Amino acid sequence: MSKKKNEAICSFALACTFLCWHSLALAEDVTTLPPLAPAPDNSYVSAALGNGILYGTSLDTQKPMRWRAAEIRFGPAIDLFGLAAGGHLPAGGSTRLDYVYYNEGHPDNNHRDGYAAQMVYRQKLHPDFDLELGAGPYFSMNRTTVNGTEIDDRRLGGLFSVALLARLDQLSPGLSIRLAYNHVLTPGAPSSDAFLVGIGKELGATHVNAPDAGGDHGLWLAALGGFAQTNQSGPGKRLSYALEAKKYYGPWAASVSAIEEGDDGVRVNRHGIAAEGWYVQPITEHWDISAGAGPYLAVNQRDSGNWKVNGLISLQVGHDLGKGFRGFADFGRVVTFRNKNDADLMTIGIMKRFDM
């Protein structure tokens, strides 16, 4: 089973678990939790799987995704340009900003996935159905072979989405089945179309545990461990670990990490320092999901041995353990901007709060 297929399936399974567990979590005893803070009205999280095709630039025929397309999205309601407050939206209309991880499956000689930010317009069609339209920039990475050389081709394009949400409020308020169509348009690279089916949850104003709801912004120190995988064929997984300091500011956070990616024996033996900004969205009283990105200054002993500025993009699911401890799972993508030596970092960790 391929590396990216594992990533897509594991990410989808985790997201679905958290969504389905939401209703049960509301019944838990929360008397020992820190102060609670409300989630943004109509914030949303979903996960979906499906199938589609790649076609166009550099492809002589359509390439199927082999039923491995996957998407995870989450984001808060945002009144874009004050349209809702000014009464400029139709009744039942709203806008939202979504953060999206999208895996476009595994067409022949293409293993493309990436991250998007979409403005989403939602319109209520019927008490049981909503329609969503989304569009925004999509930063993708495609492991592919060109003229006999394997590269990790990075491109900036657009992700356009249409989704029908079939509401299941009778089972849990805000729960829905998501039927979606995604179109990727990327200059100089193949386009793609995919249909996906998944489950989503509109969180509403559910009260959740924010990491620093009290407003005193304690410092969180974390230790992470897991494995890294170079995004080119050949090198296998190797042990990776990191130490991190993080501060939360409401739905935002900032972190600094010392990262050791390990040695794949062929292309990457890299370590360095990363700084990331985060958006954090609570899911339940105990769970949150967050997206982070920032510069990563690192040295690769199997390349030039010089310090270079890379990028780090992260997707993280966290769980409040009580008494100032949090556990989390983190999926990070190291982007070198040189079409080689990119890597995935898949780790779990624990963090402890220290009041300041």
Side-chain angles (χ1 to χ4, degrees):
M1 184 177 293
S2 69
K3 172 178 71 69
K4 286 186 178 290
K5 181 180 179 182
N6 280 329
E7 295 165 8
I9 293 175
C10 291
S11 299
F12 177 78
L14 282 171
C16 286
T17 299
F18 298 139
L19 289 171
C20 295
W21 184 78
H22 179 270
S23 301
L24 297 176
L26 295 179
E28 292 188 5
D29 181 9
V30 297
T31 57
T32 61
L33 292 177
L36 301 181
D41 288 347
N42 299 322
S43 57
Y44 178 76
V45 59
S46 70
L49 286 173
N51 194 26
I53 56 173
L54 260 70
Y55 57 92
T57 302
S58 76
L59 299 181
D60 55 2
T61 185
Q62 295 179 352
K63 303 292 186 180
M65 293 182 182
R66 302 177 180 177
W67 292 99
R68 299 177 186 177
E71 175 196 271
I72 296 174
R73 67 172 59 231
F74 63 98
I78 292 180
D79 188 5
L80 183 64
F81 305 125
L83 294 175
H88 302 298
L89 294 181
S94 62
T95 53
R96 193 179 70 239
L97 176 62
D98 276 0
Y99 302 85
V100 185
Y101 169 73
Y102 185 37
N103 191 313
E104 296 178 66
H106 297 267
D108 293 339
N109 194 32
N110 290 274
H111 299 78
R112 190 165 71 181
D113 67 344
Y115 302 83
Q118 279 191 326
M119 284 305 308
V120 178
Y121 173 72
R122 175 185 283 196
Q123 179 63 52
K124 184 171 288 297
L125 302 178
H126 180 274
D128 296 327
F129 296 98
D130 295 339
L131 176 68
E132 288 192 350
L133 305 175
Y138 173 52
F139 177 63
S140 66
M141 291 140 283
N142 184 16
R143 179 165 63 85
T144 183
T145 299
V146 179
N147 297 325
T149 300
E150 189 178 62
I151 63 174
D152 194 13
D153 188 30
R154 283 165 298 282
R155 302 277 178 167
L156 182 62
L159 176 62
F160 305 90
S161 305
V162 180
L164 180 67
L165 277 60
R167 303 187 67 90
L168 301 174
D169 294 310
Q170 67 275 21
L171 299 179
S172 177
L175 189 67
S176 61
I177 297 294
R178 181 180 181 89
L179 307 175
Y181 160 74
N182 282 350
H183 174 67
V184 171
L185 182 61
T186 304
S191 299
S192 76
D193 295 306
F195 289 94
L196 304 102
V197 180
I199 186 170
K201 180 70 174 180
E202 186 177 355
L203 303 177
T206 303
H207 283 262
V208 294
N209 175 31
D212 277 303
D216 54 355
H217 307 309
L219 179 67
W220 294 79
L221 299 181
L224 302 78
F227 60 88
Q229 172 78 57
T230 305
N231 285 341
Q232 288 170 269
S233 60
K237 297 179 177 64
R238 71 272 185 183
L239 293 178
S240 176
Y241 55 89
L243 298 175
E244 181 180 88
K246 196 169 193 177
K247 292 189 71 174
Y248 291 87
Y249 305 89
W252 307 99
S255 68
V256 176
S257 306
I259 301 173
E260 173 56 63
E261 298 182 44
D263 186 357
D264 68 13
V266 181
R267 295 187 175 96
V268 174
N269 180 11
R270 187 166 48 212
H271 58 268
I273 302 293
E276 291 184 278
W278 298 80
Y279 169 71
V280 184
Q281 178 172 301
I283 301 176
T284 72
E285 288 87 350
H286 300 285
W287 293 92
D288 62 60
I289 186 169
S290 56
Y296 173 36
L297 179 64
V299 58
N300 183 2
Q301 302 293 351
R302 290 193 175 275
D303 193 5
S304 66
N306 298 324
W307 289 87
K308 296 180 179 179
V309 177
N310 309 292
L312 180 62
I313 306 173
S314 302
L315 184 66
Q316 190 174 105
V317 176
H319 178 52
D320 174 37
L321 302 175
K323 297 183 179 180
F325 285 92
R326 295 172 60 79
F328 59 93
D330 185 282
F331 170 70
R333 171 68 53 78
V334 176
V335 184
T336 64
F337 305 108
R338 289 176 288 278
N339 280 338
K340 63 177 184 178
N341 299 334
D342 292 2
D344 291 334
L345 309 177
M346 288 152 278
T347 55
I348 59 174
I350 189 167
M351 58 198 313
K352 175 72 171 68
R353 174 176 171 162
F354 295 88
D355 294 329
M356 299 180 65

